[in-house]
């Protein structure tokens, strides 16, 4: 049964945030809000968490997982970025974008695309997510909470708990955060390639 945390969307309670972060460190799989929609998240090196996300979402090994980072300094530890790409990403963060980039050695191989050796990264513009990342001190390995055969992600914490209580360890509820996932931009080839049109404005990348 998943623990349920009712967290204020603008002034998240430090005690609740600490409890969620501690559970992630202990290997928990959580559902949490972002600036685009709810996501599944676990610790970076959690093989069990990765497999549980794959099972819940019916994902294959070509799926790009996302490292949700606190800031640009943290993001830069996990992906390689040249100067032109740096400026483009810097101007778009924090925000509702996921960027696909070549992974550094800091990224476990099981998280990388098997052929391209890339990984998704993003910096969310959401108070609760940022509080959790600050407390955790490392990125969250994440994937959009979009269930198989459904067109839109789940948007309510209570509904997530009700439907996924048996497969999650914790649900962080801070209210509705929308149904539109991030805009995905692939920079792994040097030029911006729009992979998915989502919540982030694509005009600067066209």
């Amino acid at each position: 049964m998943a623990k349920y945390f009712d967290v204020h969307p603008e002034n998240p309670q430090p005690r609740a945030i600490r409890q969620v972060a501690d559970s992630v460190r202990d290997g928990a799989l959580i559902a949490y809000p972002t600036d685009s929609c709810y996501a599944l998240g676990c610790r970076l090196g959690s093989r069990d968490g990765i497999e549980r996300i794959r099972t819940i979402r019916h994902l294959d090994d070509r799926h790009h997982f996302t490292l949700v980072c606190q800031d640009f300094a943290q993001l830069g530890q996990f992906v390689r970025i040249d100067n032109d790409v740096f400026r483009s990403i810097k101007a778009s963060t924090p925000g509702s974008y996921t960027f696909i980039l070549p992974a550094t050695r800091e990224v476990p191989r099981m998280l990388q695309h098997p052929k391209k050796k890339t990984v998704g990264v993003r910096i969310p513009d959401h108070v609760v997510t940022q509080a959790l990342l600050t407390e955790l001190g490392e990125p969250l390995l994440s994937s959009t909470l979009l269930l198989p055969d459904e067109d839109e992600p789940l948007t309510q914490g209570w509904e997530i708990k009700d439907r996924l209580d048996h497969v999650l360890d914790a649900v962080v509820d801070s209210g509705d955060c929308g149904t539109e996932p991030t805009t995905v931009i692939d920079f792994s080839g040097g030029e911006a390639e729009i992979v998915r049109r989502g919540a982030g404005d694509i005009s600067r990348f066209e």
Side-chain angles (χ1 to χ4, degrees):
M1 181 177 292
K3 294 180 180 178
Y4 182 77
F5 295 90
D6 187 4
V7 178
H8 194 281
E10 296 177 2
N11 297 291
Q13 305 92 313
R15 182 171 179 270
I17 294 297
R18 281 195 301 272
Q19 289 177 323
V20 176
D22 285 343
S23 69
V24 171
R25 293 188 191 100
D26 290 339
L29 176 62
I30 68 171
Y32 71 100
T34 75
D35 53 346
S36 59
C37 53
Y38 275 86
L40 297 169
C42 65
R43 194 170 189 181
L44 178 58
S46 175
R47 184 178 295 274
D48 176 67
I50 294 170
E51 291 308 315
R52 290 167 69 187
I53 292 173
R54 288 192 197 278
T55 299
I56 291 168
R57 292 204 53 204
H58 295 183
L59 301 173
D60 61 29
D61 63 358
R62 294 185 299 278
H63 176 75
H64 267 111
F65 283 99
T66 298
L67 302 183
V68 178
C69 301
Q70 178 185 352
D71 52 29
F72 211 89
Q74 190 177 75
L75 181 149
Q77 299 174 38
F78 298 94
V79 289
R80 297 196 303 275
I81 312 175
D82 66 28
N83 289 337
D84 290 340
V85 172
F86 175 90
R87 285 190 289 269
S88 294
I89 296 178
K90 185 74 170 176
S92 307
T93 54
S96 300
Y97 297 93
T98 297
F99 301 101
I100 297 173
L101 290 157
T104 67
R105 293 181 179 179
E106 299 296 319
V107 180
R109 184 168 295 181
M110 61 184 172
L111 301 185
Q112 301 177 28
H113 187 284
K115 292 184 178 179
K116 298 179 180 180
K117 308 304 179 188
T118 50
V119 70
V121 287
R122 87 181 201 88
I123 303 171
D125 187 14
H126 192 283
V127 172
V128 174
T129 318
Q130 281 291 338
L132 177 56
L133 291 168
T134 299
E135 179 66 30
L136 191 60
E138 62 182 51
L140 269 170
L141 167 65
S142 292
S143 183
T144 302
L145 210 176
L146 180 62
L147 298 179
D149 303 320
E150 297 195 10
D151 295 328
E152 292 189 343
L154 299 177
T155 62
Q156 301 291 339
W158 61 265
E159 182 185 13
I160 294 169
K161 168 131 174 84
D162 185 56
R163 294 185 59 183
L164 299 177
D165 200 30
H166 59 297
V167 293
L168 295 177
D169 299 306
V171 175
V172 181
D173 187 352
S174 62
D176 193 332
C177 54
T179 61
E180 195 168 17
T182 58
T183 291
V184 179
I185 309 294
D186 188 342
F187 273 115
S188 61
E191 301 291 331
E193 177 187 348
I194 300 169
V195 176
R196 180 177 70 196
R197 296 169 184 262
D201 180 13
I202 65 169
S203 60
R204 69 183 64 190
F205 299 107
E206 290 182 309

